[in-house]
């Protein structure tokens, strides 16, 4: 469910809307692929696990460039880049230890990224369409704790990450649509 933060003016919602639509599409495809990869840590699943936070890093970089082009700053995006980059490394290491380790790392990432996303949505609320990002950040935090707890039980499953990613994508879609309404004065 990941984060995006900047304090920018009018062109920012257009760039954010496009980025949010892209993030929805990516999350939907990624979730479907991870769900079909199953609950084993084979090469396909491990690749997917690493690609998700890498995509988050790329999206944050695009958002930073958009914010700079619009004369704004985006300090929380730098935090997001650091968190997601650490998640890539942590997931790569955890994948060698099994599904529970992956769920623990993903859980910690979801908690920290969720907190940053919650703050990001609150910071951008004047742009419109950010309530979904605020809710998404809160859900990410709760889901992260759930993944961490699931890792210690008999129900440790990678497919739960697919549902999490898809739900996060839906929140990006809602935000994109809300930004479109805000842009059109609705």
């Amino acid at each position: 469910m990941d984060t995006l933060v900047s304090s920018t003016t009018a062109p920012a919602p257009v760039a954010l809307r496009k980025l949010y639509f892209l993030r929805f599409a990516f999350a939907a495809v990624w979730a479907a692929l991870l769900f079909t990869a199953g609950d084993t840590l084979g090469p396909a699943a491990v690749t997917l696990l690493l690609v998700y936070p890498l995509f988050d890093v790329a999206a944050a970089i695009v958002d930073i460039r958009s914010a700079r082009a619009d004369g704004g700053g985006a300090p929380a995006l730098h935090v997001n880049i650091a968190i997601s980059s650490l998640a890539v490394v942590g997931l790569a290491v955890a994948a060698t230890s099994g599904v529970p380790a992956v769920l623990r790392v993903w859980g910690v990432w979801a908690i920290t990224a969720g907190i940053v996303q919650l703050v990001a949505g609150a910071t951008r609320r004047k742009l419109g369409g950010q309530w979904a990002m605020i809710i998404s950040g809160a859900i990410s935090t709760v889901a992260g704790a759930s993944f961490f707890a699931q890792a210690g039980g008999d129900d440790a499953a990678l497919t739960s990450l697919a549902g999490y990613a898809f739900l996060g994508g839906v929140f990006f879609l809602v935000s994109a649509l809300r930004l479109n309404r805000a842009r059109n004065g609705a």
Side-chain angles (χ1 to χ4, degrees):
M1 291 189 210
D2 321 290
T3 58
L4 298 172
V5 180
S6 73
S7 53
T8 59
T9 56
V14 174
L16 280 179
R17 191 177 73 251
K18 290 178 182 177
L19 186 58
Y20 287 175
F21 278 129
L22 176 63
R23 291 191 76 146
F24 163 72
F26 174 81
V29 169
W30 185 90
L33 291 172
L34 184 66
F35 192 77
T36 60
D39 279 329
T40 60
L41 281 172
V46 172
T47 300
L48 287 168
L49 290 170
L50 300 179
V51 165
Y52 195 89
L54 285 171
F55 183 82
D56 190 48
V57 169
I61 290 169
V62 168
D63 199 357
I64 287 170
R65 289 182 179 160
S66 172
R68 283 186 185 149
D70 199 37
L77 283 171
H78 295 283
V79 172
N80 183 56
I81 289 170
I83 291 169
S84 294
S85 297
L86 288 172
V88 172
V89 174
L91 288 167
V93 172
T96 65
S97 296
V99 172
V102 167
L103 290 175
R104 284 184 190 97
V105 171
W106 196 283
V108 169
W109 178 45
I111 291 167
T112 56
I115 291 168
V116 173
Q117 184 176 14
L118 210 155
V119 171
T123 302
R124 284 184 162 167
R125 69 184 179 279
K126 68 180 183 277
L127 296 176
Q130 296 303 301
W131 64 268
M133 290 294 100
I134 293 168
I135 294 169
S136 177
I139 290 172
S140 182
T141 303
V142 171
S146 171
F147 295 139
F148 202 87
Q150 181 187 15
D154 294 333
D155 58 346
L158 291 177
T159 53
S160 60
L161 301 179
Y164 164 80
F166 183 74
L167 180 60
V170 168
F171 278 106
F172 277 112
L173 177 62
V174 169
S175 287
L177 296 172
R178 293 291 302 156
L179 281 169
N180 194 39
R181 288 185 68 199
R183 189 189 96 184
N184 293 333

